[in-house]
Amino acid sequence: MKLKSRKTIEGFYRAPHRAMYKAMGLVDEDLNKPIVAVSSTCNEATPCNIHLGRLAQKAKEGVKDAKCTPREFTAISVSDVIAMGHEGMKASLVSREVIADSIELMMIAHQYDGIVGIAGCDKSLPGTLMAMARLNLPAVFVYGGTIMPGSWNGKQVTAQDVFEAVGTYQTGKLNLQELISLENVACPTAGSCAGMYTANTMASISEAIGMSLPGSASPPAESDKRQQICYDSGKAIMNLLENNIRPRDIMTFEAFENAITVVNAIGGSTNAVLHILAIAKEAGIKLDLKDFERIRKRTPHIANLRPAGEYVMLDLDKIGGVPVILNRLLRKGLIHGDIMTVTGSTMKKNLASMKSDLTTSRLDQEIIRRLNDPINKEGTLKILKGSLAPDGAVVKITNTKATKFVGKVRSFESEENAFEAILEGKIDEGNVVVIRYEGPKGGPGMREMLSVTAALVGQEIGDKVALVTDGRFSGATRGLMIGHVSPEAMVGGPIALLNDNDQIAIDIKRGKIDLLVSKSELDKRKKKWKPIRPHYATGVLAKYASQVASAAEGAITRPV
C-alpha cells in the first residue's frame, strides 16, 4: 500500500510530527499502520447528529480491528428544522459546501490514508460524499440513521405533521393544547426525520451509488443494527486500502444513474437533484437535468413512503431496507448491477448475498409495491422547462392531484412576506404563489420553505394553489410546489420579470412551466429590471453568493 500518511510519519525530520501523535497516546506501533480518519457531524444542534459521536466510537473500533489507526474529527451540521422559516435557513445549503471543505482540509492537512464519514442531517450527507469524491481516497460513507416515528392519537407522526399542524391551528381546526401535545411526541429519539425526506433520501442514494455498505441506510439511529453498521464500515476500510479502491472507481456515471433511478422509485426529496448534481461534479462525472428526466420516465414509483405515502423509514427497514428496492429494480434491468461498491464487490453480488426480496405478506406489498403494480408508472421527480424556467425547475409529483394548472401570480420578494400573507388568509384558490430572490445567489442560500408549503397544506388549500420559487423545498413538502427555478431572479431570470396578476401555466405531463406574457413585453421589463441589493456585503453568505452556480448545476461553489 502506498500510504499518504508516511509523509507525516517517516524520517528523522518527522520527529516533531511523531511527537504530536505520541502526545495523544499513540505509540510507534500505531504510527506504523495506515492512519484512517473517522469524521462525523456530531453536535447538539440537531437530533439527527447528537448521537454521532457514539457511532464514531464504533467505527473507530472497526478501524482498529482492521489493523489501522483511527483519528476522529468533526465537521459542522445545521438543523434544517430549527433553521426553517427564518434567516437561519440561508445557512443550510451553504453548510453543505462548508462540510465538504472542512473534511477536505482536514484530510489534506494531516495526510490521512482513508476516511470513514458519518453524517446525519440533510446537508451533512451530500457534504461528506462531496468531500470523498474530491479527495478520491479510500472511503466508506455511513448514515447516522432515522429517528423513530412518534405516536399521536393512534397514528405515526413525524416533524412533517407538526409543520402542517401550524397551518391547521391557524384555521382554528386544531387548538393550542393539541398542537403542543403533538410537538411533544413527534420526535421521540435521536436520528434524522422519519419519512422519505432529504436525509433518508440521501442515505438511500448512498447505497445506490455504492458508497455505503448494503442495508446500511434504513436501520434506526438508536438501534443495535446501527452500531454494528458503524463497526462494519470501519472494518471495511482496510480492504479498500489494500485493493486501492477509491470513490471515483465507485461513483461512475452508471452509479449516478442508479441514484437517479432509486430516488424516483422511492418518491424521494427534490433536494436530491441538487445533491446528486453536486456530488457528480466533484467526482468528475458529467450529469445534467436531461439525465434526470430520461431516467424518471423509465422508473416506476413503488415505495409507499411519507410525505406522500403512509410509511416511514423504520417500516422499510423492517422488510429489508433499500436492498429490497435495489433488487427489484435490478431484476427488471433498471439499475446497473455491475458497479463497484465499498464492499469490494459489485452491487449485483452484494444483493445476491443478502435476503433482499419481499415476502408475499400484505404489509410488505403495501410498503413496496411490485414493479408491475406501481403507485405511479413513472418516477416522481419531474423536471419542468418553459418560458418561466428556461434552464429548468423541479417538482415532486407524488400524489399531485392537478396535472395542469393556470393561475394568477401573487408574488413575494421573500419567504417571510409569503408566509405572513398565508397566515393572514390572503391567498386565494387558483393563485400561483411566487417567491423569488430566494435562489442560490439571491437568498443567498436557496432556502427551503417547508413552513410556507406546510401552512398551505394545513389550511387545506395545498391542492388548490401552486407555489413557484427559485428557492428549495424540504423533503417533507407535498403538493404542486415547484422549486429550483433557473435562471434565478437575482441574475435576471424570467421569474424576476413577472408581475402580480400575470398568469403562469403549468403542465406536468408535458413538463412545461410558462409565464403567459409576450416576449416583447418581457423584453421591455428586462430593460427596466435591476437586481435587488445583496442581503449580505461581508461574511460567509456574501462569499457564497459570489461563488455559487445555478441550481441547474447543483448550486455548487466554484473558484472565481
Side-chain angles (χ1 to χ4, degrees):
M1 292 181 289
K2 189 175 181 180
L3 301 176
K4 290 175 71 73
S5 61
R6 299 310 93 186
K7 296 177 185 177
T8 68
I9 298 297
E10 292 180 346
F12 70 89
Y13 41 85
R14 297 303 187 217
H17 305 61
R18 294 191 294 272
M20 296 299 286
Y21 277 118
K22 290 174 180 178
M24 295 183 282
L26 300 187
V27 297
D28 288 330
E29 182 182 358
D30 300 315
L31 299 180
N32 288 333
K33 299 173 182 177
I35 300 180
V36 172
V38 176
S39 77
S40 81
T41 52
C42 177
N43 60 35
E44 291 185 336
T46 164
C48 315
N49 294 341
I50 195 167
H51 64 301
L52 299 190
R54 297 195 303 274
L55 296 184
Q57 303 316 304
K58 297 301 293 186
K60 286 164 67 177
E61 288 177 22
V63 170
K64 286 180 181 178
D65 286 350
K67 306 265 188 290
C68 298
T69 297
R71 305 313 297 153
E72 181 183 357
F73 65 81
T74 59
I76 66 161
S77 184
V78 166
S79 168
D80 275 18
V81 172
I82 296 173
M84 192 75 69
H86 53 83
E87 182 190 28
M89 181 46 72
K90 295 184 179 186
S92 172
L93 188 59
V94 180
S95 76
R96 184 189 74 178
E97 313 305 304
V98 175
I99 291 162
D101 291 349
S102 61
I103 292 173
E104 180 186 14
L105 288 172
M106 286 294 289
M107 295 294 291
I108 290 173
H110 303 98
Q111 295 290 289
Y112 295 136
D113 299 309
I115 180 170
V116 179
I118 309 171
C121 199
D122 295 6
K123 307 309 172 293
S124 61
L125 283 81
T128 300
L129 286 163
M130 288 164 66
M132 290 173 171
R134 283 184 200 172
L135 292 159
N136 202 31
L137 292 168
V140 182
F141 177 81
V142 193
Y143 178 41
T146 182
I147 199 170
M148 301 290 282
S151 178
W152 187 69
N153 291 346
K155 66 174 184 178
Q156 287 188 341
V157 290
T158 71
Q160 173 194 348
D161 296 280
V162 188
F163 274 102
E164 293 179 1
V166 172
T168 308
Y169 169 76
Q170 193 68 23
T171 65
K173 294 181 180 179
L174 191 74
N175 64 44
L176 184 59
Q177 185 177 357
E178 290 171 319
L179 178 62
I180 292 172
S181 71
L182 172 59
E183 79 175 63
N184 286 343
V185 300
C187 302
T189 65
S192 299
C193 294
M196 192 50 74
Y197 312 141
T198 303
N200 282 327
T201 296
M202 294 309 300
S204 302
I205 286 169
S206 74
E207 283 196 48
I209 61 175
M211 285 299 295
S212 295
L213 294 182
S216 64
S218 60
E222 299 280 30
S223 67
D224 290 342
K225 285 169 69 177
R226 178 60 52 193
Q227 299 269 330
Q228 186 65 45
I229 285 163
C230 289
Y231 174 84
D232 292 342
S233 297
K235 201 164 184 184
I237 198 72
M238 179 56 100
N239 181 54
L240 299 176
L241 285 163
E242 288 178 333
N243 291 286
N244 196 28
I245 299 172
R246 298 170 181 251
R248 294 189 186 187
D249 300 320
I250 295 168
M251 289 194 274
T252 60
F253 182 80
E254 290 76 17
F256 285 104
E257 286 196 313
N258 284 359
I260 297 169
T261 301
V262 165
V263 75
N264 278 287
I266 63 178
S269 168
T270 53
N271 281 312
V273 177
L274 284 178
H275 299 329
I276 291 171
L277 286 169
I279 299 164
K281 182 71 173 178
E282 301 292 4
I285 300 298
K286 187 177 180 181
L287 201 68
D288 62 33
L289 293 179
K290 291 180 182 177
D291 295 305
F292 283 82
E293 189 60 12
R294 170 177 58 84
I295 294 167
R296 184 198 67 81
K297 289 178 179 178
R298 74 184 191 203
T299 306
H301 169 213
I302 58 174
N304 183 15
L305 300 170
R306 299 193 69 172
E310 301 175 60
Y311 297 97
V312 296
M313 196 67 157
L314 173 66
D315 299 312
L316 177 60
D317 185 62
K318 289 177 179 177
I319 63 169
V322 175
V324 169
I325 298 167
L326 290 170
N327 203 33
R328 289 221 160 157
L329 296 170
L330 177 65
R331 289 209 310 266
K332 291 291 185 179
L334 294 174
I335 63 169
H336 302 280
D338 56 352
I339 68 162
M340 179 58 65
T341 73
V342 291
T343 66
S345 293
T346 64
M347 175 81 71
K348 184 176 182 179
K349 287 181 179 178
N350 290 342
L351 294 174
S353 68
M354 303 175 70
K355 183 183 178 183
S356 54
D357 198 10
L358 294 176
T359 70
T360 56
S361 80
R362 182 186 62 81
L363 178 59
D364 286 7
Q365 301 304 321
E366 281 186 7
I367 298 170
I368 303 296
R369 302 273 282 272
R370 295 200 176 275
L371 271 70
N372 60 5
D373 182 32
I375 299 166
N376 295 295
K377 291 181 180 179
E378 294 184 351
T380 56
L381 291 188
K382 179 80 176 179
I383 306 299
L384 306 178
K385 288 192 175 184
S387 62
L388 185 61
D391 293 345
V394 181
V395 62
K396 183 159 67 172
I397 58 174
T398 322
N399 280 7
T400 301
K401 295 180 180 178
T403 60
K404 288 186 178 181
F405 193 97
V406 179
K408 286 186 178 181
V409 168
R410 285 293 314 277
S411 65
F412 301 92
E413 310 297 280
S414 72
E415 177 188 1
E416 287 87 351
N417 291 342
F419 188 57
E420 183 179 346
I422 292 166
L423 292 186
E424 291 176 359
K426 295 181 178 179
I427 303 302
D428 298 325
E429 292 182 18
N431 282 162
V432 180
V433 179
V434 175
I435 306 176
R436 58 189 174 185
Y437 294 101
E438 290 287 6
K441 288 183 179 292
M446 207 180 177
R447 284 193 281 186
E448 288 182 3
M449 300 183 193
L450 181 57
S451 295
V452 171
T453 60
L456 290 170
V457 172
Q459 290 182 5
E460 299 182 354
I461 59 171
D463 59 350
K464 299 169 185 173
V465 300
L467 192 151
V468 176
T469 180
D470 51 8
R472 297 182 295 125
F473 299 123
S474 163
T477 291
R478 54 187 173 133
L480 192 55
M481 313 295 179
I482 298 165
H484 308 195
V485 169
S486 301
E488 63 173 292
M490 196 65 176
V491 300
I495 192 172
L497 308 178
L498 54 76
N499 295 328
D500 277 357
N501 295 319
D502 285 346
Q503 287 194 318
I504 290 175
I506 301 162
D507 189 327
I508 298 295
K509 288 185 178 179
R510 293 178 61 226
K512 298 286 288 180
I513 179 167
D514 290 310
L515 178 60
L516 302 183
V517 175
S518 69
K519 185 178 184 303
S520 60
E521 174 63 21
L522 286 178
D523 288 342
K524 289 178 186 178
R525 295 181 188 181
K526 181 73 172 180
K527 290 177 182 177
K528 297 178 181 179
W529 173 81
K530 292 182 181 179
I532 64 169
R533 184 178 179 180
H535 295 298
Y536 300 88
T538 61
V540 65
L541 293 178
K543 181 165 62 175
Y544 177 85
S546 72
Q547 296 179 344
V548 70
S550 164
E553 300 175 64
I556 59 165
T557 54
R558 53 195 176 191
V560 293

